[in-house]
Amino acid sequence: DAGVIQSPRHEVTEMGQEVTLRCKPISGHDYLFWYRQTMMRGLELLIYFNNNVPIDDSGMPEDRFSAKMPNASFSTLKIQPSEPRDSAVYFCASSLMAFSGNTIYFGEGSWLTVV
Amino acid sequence: GNSVTQMEGPVTLSEEAFLTINCTYTATGYPSLFWYVQYPGEGLQLLLKATKADDKGSNKGFEATYRKETTSFHLEKGSVQVSDSAVYFCALSGSSNTGKLIFGQGTTLQVKP
């Protein structure tokens, strides 16, 4: 089985540009998570979906960030306009169901640099 | 709210040394506990987990025991290898059944030959 697939793996963009990160979860997984990793703040949950519906977006830093999941096999995280402080690694993850002991599977991350 | 605290790194060890990375947590109810590992340039991989008190998770020579009385889930390995060099994250999933993980800050392990 393919794991969680993210694209692009690396992106360098200029401040003010729109950035779109993409994710394909593991087939059959009902939950999808977006995390951000920075040196200062570690791993933070930005938003998660259940059956394509956003359940908790309290971690989304501000209105410049938006996430969608139009179908069970695709999600996007968009930053518009981007700022240098958005530079981070963005991880998408998925899981089969939401119970406390369930394993969450991570993609390899999208490494974003905003200059 | 729920939180995880890990020992600060980096931890530098010689090959075949004994490893302990401390992890303590704060949570209501009965969370599940996890250790994830991140190798350079890669995503996070589940290393082991424990879902109830006194459970021991183990994988690839690593072990951790869920201690409710001390709210701890320390990671141990008897003999580390250079290939174990990575960042290790302790995490919890609360008992509210949302499935989302709360991570510690991560501990960098460097093993020298």
Side-chain angles (χ1 to χ4, degrees):
Chain A
D1 247 354
V4 176
I5 299 171
Q6 292 187 244
S7 65
R9 286 296 313 278
H10 300 272
E11 175 138 353
V12 180
T13 190
E14 291 186 348
M15 182 173 63
Q17 297 298 305
E18 177 179 291
V19 173
T20 299
L21 308 178
R22 298 172 177 80
C23 175
K24 177 179 170 56
I26 294 173
S27 177
H29 281 193
D30 291 334
Y31 287 81
L32 184 139
F33 307 82
W34 282 102
Y35 281 86
R36 179 173 67 176
Q37 183 181 35
T38 61
M39 289 293 292
M40 291 299 295
R41 301 173 68 90
L43 277 157
E44 305 172 278
L45 177 65
L46 300 178
I47 185 171
Y48 78 96
F49 295 83
N50 176 27
N51 290 325
N52 315 336
V53 176
I55 301 301
D56 182 354
D57 66 353
S58 59
M60 295 285 265
E62 49 197 273
D63 292 346
R64 296 185 298 106
F65 285 70
S66 62
K68 294 182 179 179
M69 192 166 185
N71 58 62
S73 58
F74 184 67
S75 176
T76 59
L77 178 67
K78 188 172 293 187
I79 308 172
Q80 167 63 18
S82 58
E83 297 182 3
R85 60 192 169 121
D86 301 330
S87 298
V89 184
Y90 292 83
F91 287 105
C92 179
S94 70
S95 68
L96 188 58
M97 57 186 74
F99 66 91
S100 181
N102 197 42
T103 298
I104 296 179
Y105 297 87
F106 284 76
E108 295 198 326
S110 291
W111 303 65
L112 174 66
T113 303
V114 183
V115 298
Chain B
N2 295 344
S3 66
V4 176
T5 302
Q6 287 180 240
M7 64 185 287
E8 288 193 19
V11 174
T12 303
L13 296 173
S14 297
E15 205 164 23
E16 299 184 2
F18 184 86
L19 169 70
T20 299
I21 300 178
N22 289 340
C23 171
T24 57
Y25 67 91
T26 300
T28 55
Y30 301 91
S32 293
L33 301 171
F34 303 79
W35 278 100
Y36 278 80
V37 59
Q38 183 180 27
Y39 298 102
E42 299 185 10
L44 280 77
Q45 305 173 26
L46 178 68
L47 183 58
L48 52 85
K49 69 179 181 181
T51 58
K52 61 182 187 294
D54 299 325
D55 268 2
K56 178 187 285 186
S58 61
N59 186 26
K60 300 180 181 179
F62 291 89
E63 293 183 339
T65 301
Y66 186 157
R67 302 283 188 203
K68 191 163 178 65
E69 64 275 16
T70 55
T71 61
S72 65
F73 193 54
H74 304 321
L75 182 68
E76 296 182 336
K77 187 175 185 182
S79 175
V80 293
Q81 306 299 313
V82 172
S83 57
D84 293 327
S85 298
V87 182
Y88 292 81
F89 292 91
C90 186
L92 73 79
S93 178
S95 54
S96 61
N97 284 341
T98 61
K100 62 184 181 182
L101 289 171
I102 296 170
F103 286 91
Q105 284 296 100
T107 302
T108 300
L109 170 65
Q110 183 177 21
V111 181
K112 296 186 174 180

